[in-house]
Structure formats: C-alpha cells, structure tokens
C-alpha cells in the first residue's frame, strides 16, 4: 500500500501533530508499506525517518499556510500515485488544497483532525471558521470517506459537522514505542527527604497551555513552604516575555526556571525524575506529553480540558479543575509517596494496554484496508 500523510508543517512549534505524523509514517513503513510525508519544514533535521519519503514544500504565505505553486504540484504528484491519503488537521490551505485534489483524483481519504473540528476549538475564530467551512471545507469533508478521532469526546464534539457520524470512524489515541522506552532502562534518581519538589512543564509556551496558572500555583504553594520549583521547558510560541514578567513581579526567580526545549532520552529522563509533570491547558486533544509521562511511569497532574478522563478513571493520572485551591490540594496529594507511587504503577499498566504504537498502527492499517476495499 502506498500511503501519503499530509500536514501543513512539521516544525516543532506546531506541537504534537508533527511528531504523530512522523511516528505514523515510521511504523507504517516498518510494517512493509511505502510511506510519504508531504509538508513544510523550517528546521534543519528530522531524526529516525530512514525509509520514509519526505517531500517538503514552501508557502506562498505562512498566514493560513497557503502553499506555493511548486508545493501544490508536489501535493498533486504524491496524491496521484497513492492508495490512501491521510490528512492531518483542518482550517489551512495545505489541507484544503490536498482534499480538493483528492476529490478530483477520486482518492481514498482519511482525516485526523487533531481536535480542529472539536466544537471547543471552533469557538476560537468562530466566524472565520464557519465562513471557511462553507466556502472551502464543507464539500471536502463531505467527500472524505473516514475519520480518525483521538477520543470519544473529540468525536462527540465534532458531530456538529453534518453527516460526520455516518462516515467510517476510528477512535484511537496516539501511541509510543513502549519497547524502546523499556530498553532505555531509565531510573529515578535517589534524593534526600529534604529535597526540592520539582514540578515540570514540557511544551510550547503558548497561551492555550495556560502556564500563567502554573506560575500562580507555585506562588501559592511557596507561601506555606518554600521548596516547590517549576521548570518550564519548551520553545517560545508567543508567551515567554509575558510569563517571565509575571515570574519577576511575583518574586519567583529562584523557584521558576525557563529552559530551552529538550528531546529524546534527555526529555524522558526529566519526565522520569520530576515529582510531578503538569499540564494545565485550556484544551488538549490527545497530548503527546501525557502519553510520554504515562508510558514512562511518571506522575501527571492535568486539568479537566486535557481530555484525559479515560486515563483518570484507570488511576493513571490525577485530574483537577482550574481552581487554584484544588490544584494545591492535588499537589499535596501527589506529594505523598504512597499516592504518587500508585499513580506511576497504574500509568504503566494503562500505557501497556492503550498506548503501544505498534498495536495502534496495526489497527489503523486495518482501518485503511477497509476503506480501500469499499
């Protein structure tokens, strides 16, 4: 089978979808398929993609990711020779053009919206998205044969799109290579009983991540006992100056550190050795960070809209609402070694059952086959 994944950009500033696309392509290729990725990339290098055909284009304008003529030709040439077209995301020129070309060439198309069709996200720039939908995306979405949603909640919240519930639907979270993580044999470092309590955020410094709340949390915690520290690790996506200013105003220079993004083994080691990894986003569809934390047996504290209710029901994460007092109580709960150890154990169990990418890829390949036959 020839599979082509199309995503507007592979830049790390785009958050989780680029990593998901790269992982999909890698493991589909390892299952014996010919896999292409058509996208755009400003950065120099992509690791671990040997055997996957990377086709990079450029934008006519980066606003709304409008592809250049050369990029459109590359999209056309790859779609023409493919059996399955897998589109990632909505509301941008690359995906709209790709869906239109797929319609013209009568190709089989799967879309993973990555939360873009969720009614929660549609509220952001509502009038633009409604106009865009009726001008460009309605006919494209009507044509698409199948959708891959990352949770039941995302699917339910996307049913405002007419007839989407009549399409072929796969509901499955993203995954990670559990065998690789086990081979790393990462160990938690031993610390003294009077240790600093390390809370870590890893991700884009973007307003949707609600990092302001994390700073308020550290400020509240240290009023009682000054041993709570927050490491904010990730690329600036528009919020760094504002967050640094807030840190300085609250006098938290000692307790909060901003650090450049880390990847691979270094990132996994930080997750493993953090007392808590925190995620307070206004919205997450299927957080790559959450998947990594659970798969490493880490302790994740997240807020309601991080879409981790299923993991929470299995005791794999701790979920709080956005009230500062309740977040403080959650930190105190996780400060208890017995409680945090239980979450680490249940997180590993949950990951083994739900987040193994090798099993998930087999399911999505079977999904492709069903679409291809019909």
């Amino acid at each position: 089978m020839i599979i082509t994944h199309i995503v507007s950009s592979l830049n790390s500033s785009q958050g989780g979808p680029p990593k998901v696309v790269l992982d999909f392509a890698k493991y589909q290729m390892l299952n014996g398929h010919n896999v292409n990725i058509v996208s755009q990339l400003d950065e120099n290098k992509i690791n671990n993609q040997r055997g996957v055909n990377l086709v990079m284009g450029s934008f006519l304008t980066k606003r709304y990711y409008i592809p250049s003529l050369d990029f459109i030709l590359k999209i056309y040439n790859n779609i023409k020779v493919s059996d399955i077209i897998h589109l990632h995301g909505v509301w941008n020129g690359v995906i709209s053009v790709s869906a239109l070309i797929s319609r013209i060439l009568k190709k089989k198309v799967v879309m993973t919206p990555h939360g873009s069709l969720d009614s929660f996200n549609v509220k952001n720039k509502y009038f633009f998205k409604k106009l865009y939908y009726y001008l460009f995306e309605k006919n494209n979405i009507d044509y698409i044969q199948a959708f891959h949603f990352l949770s039941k909640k995302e699917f339910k919240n996307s049913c405002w799109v007419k007839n989407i519930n009549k399409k072929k639907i796969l509901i499955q979270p993203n995954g990670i290579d559990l065998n690789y993580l086990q081979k790393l044999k990462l160990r938690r470092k031993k610390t003294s009983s009077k240790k600093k309590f390390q809370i870590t955020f890893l991700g884009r410094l973007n307003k949707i991540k609600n990092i302001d709340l994390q700073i308020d949390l550290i400020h509240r915690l240290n009023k009682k006992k000054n041993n709570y520290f927050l490491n904010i690790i990730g690329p600036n996506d528009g919020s760094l100056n504002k967050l640094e200013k807030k840190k300085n105003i609250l006098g938290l220079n000692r307790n909060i550190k901003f650090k450049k993004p880390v990847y691979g083994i270094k990132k996994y080691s930080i997750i493993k050795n953090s007392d808590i990894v925190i995620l307070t986003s206004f919205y997450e569809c299927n957080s790559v960070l959450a998947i990594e934390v659970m798969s490493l047996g880490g302790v994740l504290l997240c807020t309601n809209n991080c879409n981790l209710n299923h993991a929470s029901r299995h005791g794999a994460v701790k979920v709080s609402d956005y009230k500062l007092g309740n977040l403080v109580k959650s930190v105190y709960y996780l400060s208890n070694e017995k409680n945090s150890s239980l979450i680490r154990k249940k997180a590993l169990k949950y990951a083994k059952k739900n987040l193994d990418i090798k099993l998930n890829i087999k399911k999505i390949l079977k999904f492709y086959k069903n679409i291809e036959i019909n």
Side-chain angles (χ1 to χ4, degrees):
M1 195 183 331
I2 302 174
I3 303 162
T4 292
H5 292 275
I6 303 177
V7 62
S8 60
S9 175
L10 288 174
N11 290 318
S12 58
S13 61
Q14 298 302 302
K19 185 180 188 310
V20 171
V21 172
L22 291 167
D23 283 347
F24 267 33
K26 175 182 175 182
Y27 290 97
Q28 288 171 353
M29 179 271 296
L30 291 173
N31 273 269
H33 300 279
N34 295 321
V35 186
N36 309 305
I37 298 176
V38 182
S39 189
Q40 181 272 346
L41 182 68
D42 293 328
E43 295 152 11
N44 295 326
K45 185 172 148 182
I46 297 174
N47 295 324
N48 300 322
Q49 292 305 125
R50 188 177 298 170
V52 174
N53 181 33
L54 296 171
V55 181
M56 296 295 107
S58 59
F59 298 129
L60 189 63
T61 171
K62 200 164 185 179
R63 187 173 174 82
Y64 306 124
Y65 301 99
I66 307 300
S68 66
L69 179 59
D70 178 64
F71 197 175
I72 291 171
L73 288 172
K74 288 177 178 178
I75 292 170
Y76 175 86
N77 288 333
N78 278 271
I79 288 175
K80 185 172 64 174
V81 299
S82 299
D83 301 305
I84 291 287
I85 312 303
H86 196 144
L87 304 178
H88 296 265
V90 202
W91 317 123
N92 67 77
V94 170
I95 296 303
S96 297
V97 167
S98 300
L100 177 60
I101 292 170
S102 299
R103 283 168 56 200
I104 292 167
L105 295 177
K106 294 183 169 53
K107 292 292 183 175
K108 301 290 187 179
V109 184
V110 178
M111 174 178 276
T112 303
H114 296 281
S116 298
L117 291 176
D118 192 311
S119 55
F120 182 92
N121 282 328
V122 174
K123 291 175 188 175
N124 182 31
K125 298 182 181 177
Y126 178 80
F127 292 108
F128 162 76
K129 286 177 180 175
K130 280 292 185 179
L131 181 64
Y132 195 99
Y133 174 73
Y134 285 107
L135 287 178
F136 303 110
E137 296 294 42
K138 185 180 183 300
N139 290 334
N140 287 338
I141 289 174
D142 284 346
Y143 173 79
I144 292 170
Q145 292 87 3
F147 287 82
H148 166 221
F149 292 103
L150 301 169
S151 69
K152 289 181 180 178
K153 186 177 180 181
E154 186 202 359
F155 169 57
K156 182 181 177 183
N157 290 351
S158 301
C159 284
W160 65 269
V161 178
K162 189 178 179 181
N163 295 328
I164 202 167
N165 58 343
K166 295 179 182 177
K167 306 282 187 177
K168 290 185 181 299
I169 302 293
L170 174 67
I171 298 174
Q172 176 179 275
N174 297 317
I176 197 167
D177 191 336
L178 297 180
N179 286 338
Y180 171 73
L181 294 182
Q182 288 167 5
K183 287 176 184 177
L184 294 178
K185 296 182 179 178
L186 295 172
R187 297 281 184 266
R188 291 189 68 209
K189 297 172 185 174
K190 292 183 180 179
T191 53
S192 67
S193 58
K194 294 182 180 180
K195 69 184 179 93
K196 299 174 180 178
F197 195 88
Q198 300 287 352
I199 300 174
T200 303
F201 167 79
L202 297 112
R204 294 178 295 141
L205 276 60
N206 182 284
K207 64 181 180 180
I208 200 169
K209 299 298 182 180
N210 196 18
I211 302 169
D212 283 85
L213 183 59
Q214 298 173 24
I215 294 175
D216 289 333
L217 175 62
I218 293 298
H219 185 242
R220 175 76 68 87
L221 286 167
N222 284 302
K223 281 184 175 179
K224 224 173 189 184
K225 192 175 182 182
N226 193 22
N227 72 328
Y228 292 93
F229 294 80
L230 175 64
N231 301 293
I232 300 172
I233 304 170
N236 180 23
D237 195 19
S239 295
L240 178 59
N241 291 339
K242 181 186 172 187
L243 295 170
E244 283 191 321
K245 186 177 180 181
K246 181 169 185 170
K247 176 193 78 169
N248 293 333
I249 289 170
L250 294 175
L252 294 170
N253 289 312
R254 174 177 170 270
N255 301 87
I256 297 177
K257 301 294 180 187
F258 292 93
K259 300 177 182 179
K260 292 181 179 180
V262 293
Y263 304 99
I265 295 173
K266 189 173 182 181
K267 181 183 183 182
Y268 297 151
S269 180
I270 289 170
I271 289 171
K272 191 84 173 176
N273 284 288
S274 295
D275 295 294
I276 292 174
V277 177
I278 192 165
L279 199 56
T280 53
S281 304
F282 292 117
Y283 178 85
E284 292 284 347
C285 179
N286 188 223
S287 166
V288 171
L289 175 63
I291 290 167
E292 291 170 333
V293 175
M294 288 185 280
S295 301
L296 287 160
V299 177
L300 180 64
L301 170 60
C302 60
T303 42
N304 291 335
N305 285 343
C306 291
N307 228 335
L308 288 163
N309 292 338
H310 186 260
S312 175
R313 286 197 296 272
H314 287 79
V317 301
K318 177 70 173 170
V319 176
S320 169
D321 59 27
Y322 291 88
K323 292 178 181 176
L324 198 55
N326 290 335
L327 275 169
V328 168
K329 288 177 185 176
S330 295
V331 172
Y332 288 158
Y333 175 85
L334 296 172
S335 299
N336 181 294
E337 185 63 32
K338 184 180 178 181
N339 295 335
S340 62
S341 294
L342 185 61
I343 281 188
R344 290 181 188 276
K345 183 178 178 181
K346 288 187 175 180
L348 287 169
K349 185 178 178 181
Y350 181 84
K352 187 175 181 180
K353 185 177 180 181
N354 297 281
L355 303 177
D356 187 343
I357 195 168
K358 292 181 180 178
L359 296 177
N360 290 359
I361 287 296
K362 286 180 181 177
K363 290 177 185 176
I364 205 157
L365 287 171
K366 186 178 179 182
F367 187 57
Y368 289 169
K369 281 286 184 187
N370 289 336
I371 299 158
E372 198 181 16
I373 291 167
N374 294 319

